[in-house]
Amino acid sequence: MQLLDGVLVSAHIKEQIKQEVQDWQANGGKKPHLAAILVGNNPASEAYVGSKVKHCEELGFDSTLLRFDSDISEDFLISEVERLNNDETIDGILVQLPLPAHISGDSVINAISPGKDVDGFHPISLGRMLLGQPTFLPATPYGIMLMLEYYKIDTTGMHCVIIGRSNIVGTPMTILMSRASNPGNATVTMCHSKTRNLREITRSADIIIAAIGRPKYVTADMVKPGAIIIDVGINRIDDSTRKSGSRLVGDVDFDNVAPLCSYITPVPKGVGLMTICGLMKNTLQAAKQAKELIG
Ligand code: GUN
């Protein structure tokens, strides 16, 4: 079994991004600038946004964090997104999800200018992705593709089983893995909470991408020996042996699955770090495209 090491791969990609930013600036380009919007104080969202802002600093990007109380109106949030759309100093906009229940995530995402949609969640971005046109890929699927590419894993002809059908991970992942490219060229099956005989299907998988959001959901009896396992889950569970009283686990029962498979991503230090790489690559691309558009 080989670990697909998010620390190693993200460090490599971040070095490339840093160098590209320096070259870009040496040629008269300006620092990429990411604006992040955080509504409320969901602890997981706080941690994700904090990490994104920290990475901007590390890679030589500017960042602006806009924080709003959870009782702001949808209209106000949309007007803030529009203000950022029209601000030429901002290259990329991300609205951390989930939003409070009274705000439509779709309406807010739809308000983001597609040229600044560095999360790749706008319908135009997703439509372009579906058609294989240049666009911003959603950060987590993008990061997974970068990881498979780094380890030169040839997925051609493999049966890829994706568990989870979210707009952010499961659904875009099906498109990318079935594309005529490598990584890609896989035969893809998407499974979800209503799938019958899930175990039968996952047992025929050469590669499993688990994005269900349930701790240790994928167990050893669901995995074919030699399979590749990509674990997208980040779940906090109680653990009285830890000082904090809890720890993070993935959607895969790592301890029992790892000995069976050929490659596996750990949680933490796996896909999560790759998501940041995807976002940062998109933001740099947005900055470069903005320059082309403005001239
Ligand atoms: N919530 C969970 N994952 C993500 C992500 O990749 N981007 C944003 N904006 N919100 C999220």
Side-chain angles (χ1 to χ4, degrees), residues 37 45 48-49 52 93-98 109 119 121 138-141 168-169 275 279:
I37 295 181
S45 293
Y48 294 144
V49 170
K52 290 167 187 177
I93 302 169
L94 83 82
V95 179
Q96 189 64 33
L97 302 177
I109 299 297
D119 253 337
F121 294 168
T140 299
I168 294 179
V169 184
T275 297
L279 174 69

Side-chain angles (χ1 to χ4, degrees), residues 72-222:
I72 59 160
S73 71
E74 181 177 307
D75 284 351
F76 176 73
L77 185 54
I78 289 175
S79 72
E80 282 297 294
V81 168
E82 285 167 351
R83 190 174 61 75
L84 296 170
N85 286 340
N86 295 323
D87 182 341
E88 280 186 11
T89 69
I90 301 289
D91 299 304
I93 302 169
L94 83 82
V95 179
Q96 189 64 33
L97 302 177
L99 289 168
H102 70 280
I103 298 178
S104 156
D106 283 351
S107 302
V108 175
I109 299 297
N110 288 356
I112 298 173
S113 164
K116 297 189 178 187
D117 176 36
V118 290
D119 253 337
F121 294 168
H122 191 283
I124 289 184
S125 304
L126 289 168
R128 287 180 180 150
M129 181 195 67
L130 182 69
L131 299 171
Q133 296 174 9
T135 185
F136 300 115
L137 297 179
T140 299
Y142 189 12
I144 291 170
M145 299 305 272
L146 290 170
M147 182 168 248
L148 293 170
E149 202 177 296
Y150 179 88
Y151 282 96
K152 299 189 170 52
I153 294 173
D154 184 353
T155 56
T156 305
M158 283 189 178
H159 183 205
C160 175
V161 172
I162 294 166
I163 319 176
R165 56 179 159 185
S166 72
N167 292 340
I168 294 179
V169 184
T171 299
M173 213 60 241
T174 63
I175 307 300
L176 297 178
M177 287 305 289
S178 57
R179 259 187 190 176
S181 64
N182 194 28
N185 277 323
T187 303
V188 174
T189 303
M190 181 201 263
C191 299
H192 46 74
S193 56
K194 301 287 186 288
T195 297
R196 288 187 195 150
N197 307 326
L198 178 64
R199 186 172 159 276
E200 227 165 80
I201 298 168
T202 58
R203 278 192 70 82
S204 79
D206 303 302
I207 173 164
I208 295 175
I209 302 177
I212 329 134
R214 292 204 208 165
K216 304 187 189 185
Y217 186 79
V218 176
T219 47
D221 60 310
M222 294 167 73

